[in-house]
Amino acid sequence: IFHPSFTFEDRYQSHQESLVHVAPVVPPQLKIEHGASSSSVTPGAETIFTIRYENVGENELTDVVLGIESTSPFFSKDVYELTSSSYPKLALLAPGDSGEVHIAVRLRSSILQSETTVYEALDLLTRTTASYTLGDGSGQRIASKGSSLTLPITSPVTFESFGRYATATGDQLGRGALPPKVDE
């Protein structure tokens, strides 16, 4: 229901007739959920996401496209989708059909400081996406999103150590694993 009104200079007019519009909402016919191959993710590494799908509707679905999305700056802006051309089983899903697909996602190895406002306990929040054509004769293209998954981002840290040998005045004599010899 819409309640139109307008303001003309300092006068407010709200005595307009209400407009009513009924739009049917079709519940998603494709149930989607996902999981990851590990309980945490590492920048620069590849993570395998498994998307499970099931046609829970009464109509067949065609041209199904499944994908993974995220707003994390570590998640590349590349599109991670599977279509019926890359995964033929998604061309036609009869009522009750189910299955799973795997999508490999490589996270960016680093991000700029300006790309985030969080500097501790970084998480990767992902969500599954689906689009399909409803097979009820309407040709309607439906887009939906599944539940989200949160994975902690672990940062790999590599340390190197080596000895440095110096004189009493601070001049460096050498470095490495071998110990210094007296008077040399």
Side-chain angles (χ1 to χ4, degrees), residues 112-142:
L112 299 174
Q113 183 177 0
S114 61
E115 293 179 281
T116 186
T117 57
V118 178
Y119 303 103
E120 295 178 9
L122 296 171
D123 289 326
L124 177 69
L125 177 73
T126 59
R127 184 177 297 263
T128 51
T129 61
S131 63
Y132 52 89
T133 302
L134 195 57
D136 62 354
S138 67
Q140 185 176 10
R141 188 84 181 150
I142 308 288

Side-chain angles (χ1 to χ4, degrees), residues 30 32 51 53 64-68 80-82 90 101 103 129-130:
L30 188 63
I32 51 174
I51 301 175
Y53 60 88
V64 178
V65 178
L66 299 176
I68 299 278
Y80 295 100
E81 290 183 335
L82 288 176
L90 298 177
V101 294
I103 297 179
T129 61

Side-chain angles (χ1 to χ4, degrees), residues 54-135:
E54 180 182 6
N55 182 351
V56 294
E58 297 175 0
N59 299 307
E60 63 183 25
L61 308 176
T62 58
D63 302 320
V64 178
V65 178
L66 299 176
I68 299 278
E69 68 177 13
S70 177
T71 57
S72 170
F74 283 100
F75 201 84
S76 168
K77 300 304 177 207
D78 294 336
V79 177
Y80 295 100
E81 290 183 335
L82 288 176
T83 63
S84 58
S85 62
S86 64
Y87 197 80
K89 289 185 179 181
L90 298 177
L92 175 70
L93 292 179
D97 280 357
S98 63
E100 63 180 37
V101 294
H102 305 284
I103 297 179
V105 175
R106 181 167 297 281
L107 297 183
R108 291 174 55 195
S109 59
S110 64
I111 61 171
L112 299 174
Q113 183 177 0
S114 61
E115 293 179 281
T116 186
T117 57
V118 178
Y119 303 103
E120 295 178 9
L122 296 171
D123 289 326
L124 177 69
L125 177 73
T126 59
R127 184 177 297 263
T128 51
T129 61
S131 63
Y132 52 89
T133 302
L134 195 57

Side-chain angles (χ1 to χ4, degrees), residues 168-182:
T169 59
D171 294 332
Q172 183 174 337
L173 296 174
R175 64 182 189 177
L178 299 175
K181 295 182 181 178
V182 178

Side-chain angles (χ1 to χ4, degrees), residues 1-5 16-22:
I1 298 176
F2 300 94
H3 299 284
S5 64
Q16 303 294 314
E17 181 180 330
S18 294
L19 302 174
V20 178
H21 175 72
V22 177

